[in-house]
């Protein structure tokens, strides 16, 4: 069971800290910096190691925020925040939570994309584990090198498909690090439980092989049996060393992502956020949008640009939701259409489809372009998950607005530079009628006197709550029903005031409550399906809340 991590008098693992002096100051989970009290300074041997004035956390926050805001650009802010996190986790999380709308885009998308590109030069100290092909045969032994016992949550990548930026190899480490920071900030999973991992299986990005600052193996990516055996050894090692851990697959290339999800989802507590988390957050936004259009789930026709992990994951969850609303599976799938790099996905197109695309290849003549597909199919919703910027052109957005009074336009590709269109373009080209959401944040705008606040379909609304819910009840599996419940819960938290400005997600400032509600819904699903190892507590929500990490300094004395 997850201990509740009391904030007073005890260290993270329920024991008084055995270490003193400079060791306390260099352990970010114990360090309070200038906030150690006079009594603590005497008891822990800190006299002389700190400047004499004792600060409150509020004073530290003010100073830290000022320093953050003085940094000249987002990557400098990212580096500043990372350094703070490596020094004093409580202060870092308090800052993130108190200024969540300002800090999430710095610790995750869009800044994390730039941070990954520059990871070789901004890398300062290990935060997470690199496990490379060189460690084949000894992965369990390597995992035991991690200094924190009892890891419960692992986010792992092999760096092949980092956001919309492609193969960044070992530089992808920024992603698991960032996602786990969001788990703590947004859902209160104690940082001591979290382990970011990058599997270095080489990279096909030849520019990295040539780069001086590249920190990974300078060799081509392994594929086939060697890759599969490496992953198999990794999963087995995680089960052995951290038997209660939840494994979140992150930013794997789609040829591996789908296979690994289906191979492992019942063998180890795990999910793929790019497929399942994205699906859930997009469906939630879609459900929110339907409250604005006044139409129902079963009346929709969805056209996706991009038929990869995100696109087919969203379609699969839409199908599950439409089935729950009364449609047959065939009818639900018939409402989902895809344009990929070869045009409209139709039967007899001539190219072999991978398994995830096949259910959406319909009987229809070949259509070459997105613009033609919009004209021919007249979709109610256009969803961009292609990683191809500027593909929702003025012509396409205008056509969507001609065909429907409130067209749903989601430009989900990350980072910002890859979005299919900007919020401003979607609103302007549709005369302010588009219901818009994006993967990366866009500023609000006013058009013809109407305020438009774009929703950010950020996975952070979903995965922290889902992971927390699965952890607290010690679920044996993370099911699609749980992601559907998460989407419905998130959509139910959108207030009329949000909808009035076109926002289909709640503001990020409510993220702790959102995560708690989702975790509760997920744990309810696990108990209902007989997938929880722990007995059902009388009040699931109160039980989860009592376990959430709060960024409050503990008192040592
Ligand atoms: P993926 O590599 O699995 O799929 C990309 C798809 O786009 C493939 O089907 C590919 O054929 C298609 N594509 C490529 N070029 C194209 C073109 N010119 N025209 C049409 N289709 C084209 O990647 P993914 O995991 O599905 O992610 C896709 C994008 O979605 C990324 O930019 C990612 O950042 C974004 N994404 C956003 C969210 C979110 O907003 N919450 C979550 C996950 C992924």
């Amino acid at each position: 069971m997850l201990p509740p991590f009391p904030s007073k008098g005890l260290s993270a693992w329920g024991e008084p800290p055995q270490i003193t002096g400079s060791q306390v100051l260099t352990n970010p989970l114990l360090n309070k910096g200038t906030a150690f009290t006079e009594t603590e300074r005497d008891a822990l041997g800190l006299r002389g190691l700190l400047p004499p004035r004792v600060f409150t956390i509020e004073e530290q926050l003010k100073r830290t925020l000022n320093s953050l805001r003085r940094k000249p650009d987002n990557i400098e802010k990212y580096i500043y925040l990372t350094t703070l996190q490596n020094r004093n986790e409580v202060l870092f999380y308090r800052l993130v939570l108190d200024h969540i709308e300002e800090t999430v885009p710095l610790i995750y998308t869009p800044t994390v994309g730039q941070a990954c590109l520059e990871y070789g030069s901004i890398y300062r100290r290990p935060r997470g584990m690199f496990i490379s092909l060189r460690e084949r045969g000894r992965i369990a032994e390597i995992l035991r090198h991690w200094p924190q016992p009892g890891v419960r949550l692992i986010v792992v990548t092999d760096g092949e498909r980092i956001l919309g930026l492609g193969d960044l190899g070992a530089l992808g480490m920024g992603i698991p690090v960032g996602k786990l920071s969001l788990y703590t900030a947004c859902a209160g999973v104690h940082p001591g439980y979290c382990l970011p991992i990058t599997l270095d299986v080489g990279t096909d990005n030849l520019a990295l092989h040539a780069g001086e600052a590249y920190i990974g193996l300078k060799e081509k990516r392994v594929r086939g049996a060697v890759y599969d055996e490496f992953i198999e050894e990794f999963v087995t090692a995680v089960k052995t060393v951290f038997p209660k851990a939840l494994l979140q697959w992150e930013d794997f290339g789609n040829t591996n992502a789908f296979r690994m999800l289906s191979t492992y989802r019942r063998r180890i507590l795990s999910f793929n956020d790019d497929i399942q988390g994205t699906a859930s957050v997009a469906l939630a936004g879609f459900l929110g949008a339907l409250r604005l259009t006044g139409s129902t789930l079963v009346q929709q026709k969805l056209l996706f640009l991009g038929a990869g992990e995100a696109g087919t994951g969203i379609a699969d969850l839409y199908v599950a939701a439409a089935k729950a609303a009364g449609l047959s599976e065939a009818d639900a799938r018939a409402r989902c259409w895809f344009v990929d790099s070869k045009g409209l996905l139709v039967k007899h197109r001539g190219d072999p489809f991978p398994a995830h695309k096949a259910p959406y290849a319909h009987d229809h003549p070949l259509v070459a372009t997105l613009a033609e597909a919009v004209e021919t199919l007249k979709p109610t919703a256009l969803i961009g998950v292609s990683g191809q910027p500027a593909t929702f052109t003025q012509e396409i957005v205008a056509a969507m607005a001609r065909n429907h009074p409130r067209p749903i336009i989601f430009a989900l590709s990350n980072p910002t530079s890859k979005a299919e269109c900007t919020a401003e373009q979607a609103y302007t080209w549709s005369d302010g009628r588009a219901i818009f959401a994006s993967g990366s944040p866009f500023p609000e705008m006013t058009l013809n006197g109407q305020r438009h606040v774009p929703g950010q379909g950020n996975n952070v609304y979903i995965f922290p709550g889902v992971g927390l819910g699965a952890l607290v009840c010690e679920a044996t599996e993370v099911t699609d029903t749980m992601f559907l419940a998460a989407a419905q819960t998130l959509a139910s938290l959108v207030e009329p005031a949000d909808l009035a400005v076109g926002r289909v997600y709640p503001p990020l400032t409510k993220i702790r409550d959102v995560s708690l509600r989702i975790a509760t819904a997920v744990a309810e699903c696990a108990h209902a399906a007989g997938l929880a190892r722990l007995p059902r507590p009388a009040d699931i929500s109160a039980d989860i809340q009592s376990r959430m990490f709060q960024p409050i300094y503990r008192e040592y004395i």
Side-chain angles (χ1 to χ4, degrees), residues 330-352:
D331 282 348
R333 290 206 192 274
R335 282 163 168 70
C336 298
W337 294 78
F338 286 85
V339 170
D340 64 12
S341 52
K342 300 192 179 69
L344 188 66
L345 184 61
V346 290
K347 279 183 187 159
H348 318 299
R349 196 170 70 173
D351 55 318

Side-chain angles (χ1 to χ4, degrees), residues 302-358:
L302 288 68
L303 177 59
F304 295 84
L305 182 69
E309 295 170 52
T312 56
I314 298 168
D316 287 347
L317 199 62
Y318 166 81
V319 169
K323 274 171 68 182
L327 272 191
S328 72
E329 176 153 341
D331 282 348
R333 290 206 192 274
R335 282 163 168 70
C336 298
W337 294 78
F338 286 85
V339 170
D340 64 12
S341 52
K342 300 192 179 69
L344 188 66
L345 184 61
V346 290
K347 279 183 187 159
H348 318 299
R349 196 170 70 173
D351 55 318
F353 305 127
H356 62 276
K357 290 189 190 181

Side-chain angles (χ1 to χ4, degrees), residues 219-501:
E219 42 197 72
K220 294 270 278 179
R221 229 166 234 289
V222 294
R223 302 198 181 270
V226 179
Y227 180 89
D228 288 357
E229 282 161 23
F230 185 68
I231 298 294
E232 175 67 26
E233 186 193 338
F234 169 69
V235 170
T236 308
V238 168
K239 284 195 76 155
T240 308
V241 179
F242 303 122
K244 288 189 173 182
L246 163 65
L247 191 63
Q248 178 169 321
W249 304 104
E250 198 65 49
D251 284 7
F252 283 74
N254 69 31
T255 46
N256 291 324
F258 288 106
R259 282 185 317 117
M260 279 154 46
L261 179 61
S262 66
T263 305
Y264 291 113
R265 62 183 300 176
R266 286 183 188 87
R267 280 185 49 198
I268 184 166
L269 179 66
S270 56
F271 68 88
N272 181 306
D273 185 50
D274 308 301
I275 301 173
Q276 298 162 288
T278 303
S280 189
V281 79
L283 181 67
F286 196 61
L287 294 172
L290 295 184
R291 287 168 62 187
L292 281 169
T293 62
S295 54
T296 65
L297 203 62
V298 300
Q299 293 169 321
Q300 307 306 311
K301 188 187 275 184
L302 288 68
L303 177 59
F304 295 84
L305 182 69
E309 295 170 52
T312 56
I314 298 168
D316 287 347
L317 199 62
Y318 166 81
V319 169
K323 274 171 68 182
L327 272 191
S328 72
E329 176 153 341
D331 282 348
R333 290 206 192 274
R335 282 163 168 70
C336 298
W337 294 78
F338 286 85
V339 170
D340 64 12
S341 52
K342 300 192 179 69
L344 188 66
L345 184 61
V346 290
K347 279 183 187 159
H348 318 299
R349 196 170 70 173
D351 55 318
F353 305 127
H356 62 276
K357 290 189 190 181
Y360 300 104
H362 302 308
D363 256 326
H364 193 278
L366 190 60
V367 170
T369 66
L370 180 66
E372 278 178 74
V374 168
E375 283 301 357
T376 312
L377 298 170
K378 301 198 170 20
T380 55
L382 184 59
I383 300 168
V385 272
S386 61
Q388 303 298 314
T391 37
F392 291 177
T393 59
Q394 181 164 6
E395 177 198 2
I396 288 171
V397 173
M400 288 292 296
R402 236 187 350 266
N403 295 334
H404 299 284
R406 298 299 313 266
I408 298 170
I409 298 181
F410 287 1
L412 296 181
S413 288
N414 290 319
T416 316
S417 61
K418 301 282 181 182
E420 285 78 6
C421 67
T422 65
E424 188 180 348
Q425 289 168 336
Y427 294 131
T428 312
W429 294 339
S430 66
D431 300 323
R433 287 186 283 121
I435 303 170
F436 179 83
S438 52
S440 297
F442 280 105
E444 64 174 78
M445 68 174 292
T446 300
L447 185 71
N448 302 328
Q450 167 68 39
R451 187 171 160 233
H452 297 275
V453 181
Q456 190 193 351
N458 191 330
N459 291 31
V460 75
Y461 283 116
I462 295 290
F463 72 82
V466 170
L468 177 64
L471 283 177
V472 285
C473 66
E474 297 194 5
T476 52
E477 198 185 315
V478 183
T479 62
D480 292 337
T481 310
M482 292 175 186
F483 281 102
L484 186 53
Q488 288 161 339
T489 304
L490 177 57
S492 75
L493 298 173
V494 180
E495 305 274 355
D498 300 319
L499 293 174
V501 290

